[in-house]
């Protein structure tokens, strides 16, 4: 179990630029989640994948945000035309989704996040 | 939207003392989970308690769940300096693809 890996750890960019983050989940996990966390707050759900299918998106995910998980393995989160308010920690988590005969109550395993700072 | 609300928000204790945090929520859940986060790092899963469970232990951690009051508590016994972190409760809603709703967190400082 190598854990959830996120890259880069830090990203500093100018307002208006596009940024892309990558998440590599735990290899056998079919569920992948993106969350956003601002200072002093708990994480907020952004979007969820089961395998390659994006099954749920939060209203927080404006049309400037897009996420993909092309082969059901790693995922990318892209933010276009970044704004000051996008500054946050972006966290990825994965879990082992329900398989027949397996308990659906599974914990999520988080990466260390990508901290985005918009200048 | 944030669902869990932890109480108290900040806690400072001496090493060896116990630390208790409470969490309330609003909707029906599959389970409730507690996570720890050290500064600048991701969240580490501590314990998961299912909606049909009332109490669960893991090492020095004890979690209770009262679904009638929609509340949970996390007790850390015999605290250590390494327990200094933020602690979050998160609810897994009954019909929600296991997307977690987190509270604002408790900042716990254990003084050696």
């Amino acid at each position: 179990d190598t854990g959830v890996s996120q890259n880069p750890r830090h990203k500093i960019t100018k307002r208006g630029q596009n940024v892309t983050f990558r998440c590599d989940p735990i290899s056998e996990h079919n569920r992948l989640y993106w969350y956003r966390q601002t200072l002093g707050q708990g994480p907020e759900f952004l979007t969820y994948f089961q395998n390659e299918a994006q099954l749920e998106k939060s209203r927080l995910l404006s049309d400037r945000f897009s996420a993909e998980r092309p082969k059901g393995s790693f995922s990318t989160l892209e933010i276009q035309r970044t704004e000051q308010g996008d500054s946050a920690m972006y966290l990825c988590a994965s879990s082992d989704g329900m398989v027949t005969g397996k308990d659906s109550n599974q914990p999520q395993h988080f990466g260390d996040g990508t901290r985005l700072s918009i200048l | 939207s944030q669902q869990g609300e932890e109480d108290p928000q900040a806690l400072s204790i001496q090493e060896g003392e116990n630390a208790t945090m409470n969490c309330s929520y609003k909707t029906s859940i599959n389970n409730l989970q507690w996570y720890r986060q050290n500064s600048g790092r991701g969240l580490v899963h501590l314990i998961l308690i299912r909606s049909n469970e009332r109490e669960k232990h893991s090492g020095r951690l004890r979690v209770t769940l009262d679904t009638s009051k929609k509340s949970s508590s996390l007790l850390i016994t015999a605290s250590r300096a390494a327990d200094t972190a933020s602690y979050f409760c998160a609810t897994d809603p009954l019909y929600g693809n296991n997307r977690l709703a987190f509270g604002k967190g408790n900042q716990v400082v254990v003084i050696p």
Side-chain angles (χ1 to χ4, degrees):
Chain A
D1 180 353
T2 57
V4 177
S5 175
Q6 290 189 247
N7 288 288
R9 287 295 313 280
H10 304 275
K11 180 71 177 178
I12 301 172
T13 192
K14 292 182 179 177
R15 184 168 53 91
Q17 297 295 305
N18 299 344
V19 293
T20 301
F21 313 138
R22 177 177 170 126
C23 171
D24 288 89
I26 293 171
S27 58
E28 64 269 23
H29 286 179
N30 60 347
R31 294 188 168 194
L32 187 146
Y33 304 82
W34 286 97
Y35 294 86
R36 181 173 69 188
Q37 184 179 27
T38 53
L39 201 61
Q41 302 294 316
E44 295 177 292
F45 170 78
L46 292 178
T47 190
Y48 155 67
F49 290 84
Q50 177 143 338
N51 300 311
E52 66 277 7
Q54 188 175 20
L55 297 185
E56 187 172 356
K57 291 196 292 186
S58 163
R59 293 188 203 99
L60 292 175
L61 216 64
S62 76
D63 56 7
R64 295 184 299 105
F65 288 70
S66 61
E68 294 183 341
R69 195 182 182 196
K71 297 181 180 179
S73 56
F74 73 91
S75 175
T76 58
L77 177 67
E78 181 183 16
I79 309 174
Q80 295 183 327
R81 305 182 302 281
T82 52
E83 300 174 355
Q84 291 279 345
D86 296 332
S87 294
M89 174 81 90
Y90 289 83
L91 294 161
C92 175
S94 69
S95 71
D96 193 358
M98 189 172 71
V99 177
T100 303
K102 198 165 186 180
D103 185 0
S104 64
N105 289 283
Q106 298 295 321
Q108 292 183 19
H109 299 267
F110 283 78
D112 277 338
T114 294
R115 180 166 295 285
L116 175 65
S117 298
I118 307 297
L119 301 177
Chain B
S1 63
Q2 299 280 359
Q3 182 171 204
E5 292 284 343
E6 292 93 347
D7 173 51
Q9 299 270 307
L11 187 62
S12 184
I13 57 174
Q14 295 288 331
E15 201 166 31
E17 293 181 339
N18 296 342
T20 301
M21 288 156 270
N22 299 307
C23 167
S24 60
Y25 59 93
K26 295 175 183 174
T27 63
S28 298
I29 61 172
N30 284 317
N31 61 69
L32 185 143
Q33 304 178 33
W34 286 90
Y35 288 82
R36 184 187 75 225
Q37 186 177 37
N38 291 94
S39 181
R41 302 297 299 273
L43 283 81
V44 174
H45 180 262
L46 296 176
I47 198 162
L48 181 154
I49 185 164
R50 295 173 177 77
S51 60
N52 61 354
E53 296 176 319
R54 292 297 167 258
E55 189 171 312
K56 202 159 183 182
H57 297 255
S58 176
R60 294 182 296 110
L61 305 179
R62 173 178 172 259
V63 167
T64 64
L65 179 65
D66 186 335
T67 52
S68 66
K69 294 181 180 178
K70 290 186 165 58
S71 67
S72 173
S73 68
L74 170 67
L75 168 67
I76 305 173
T77 60
S79 63
R80 304 168 182 168
D83 294 329
T84 294
S86 292
Y87 291 82
F88 295 90
C89 74
T91 51
D92 179 353
L94 196 55
Y95 303 108
N97 287 325
N98 300 117
R99 54 169 157 72
L100 297 177
F102 285 86
K104 292 183 180 180
N106 270 284
Q107 175 65 47
V108 175
V109 175
V110 181
I111 302 165

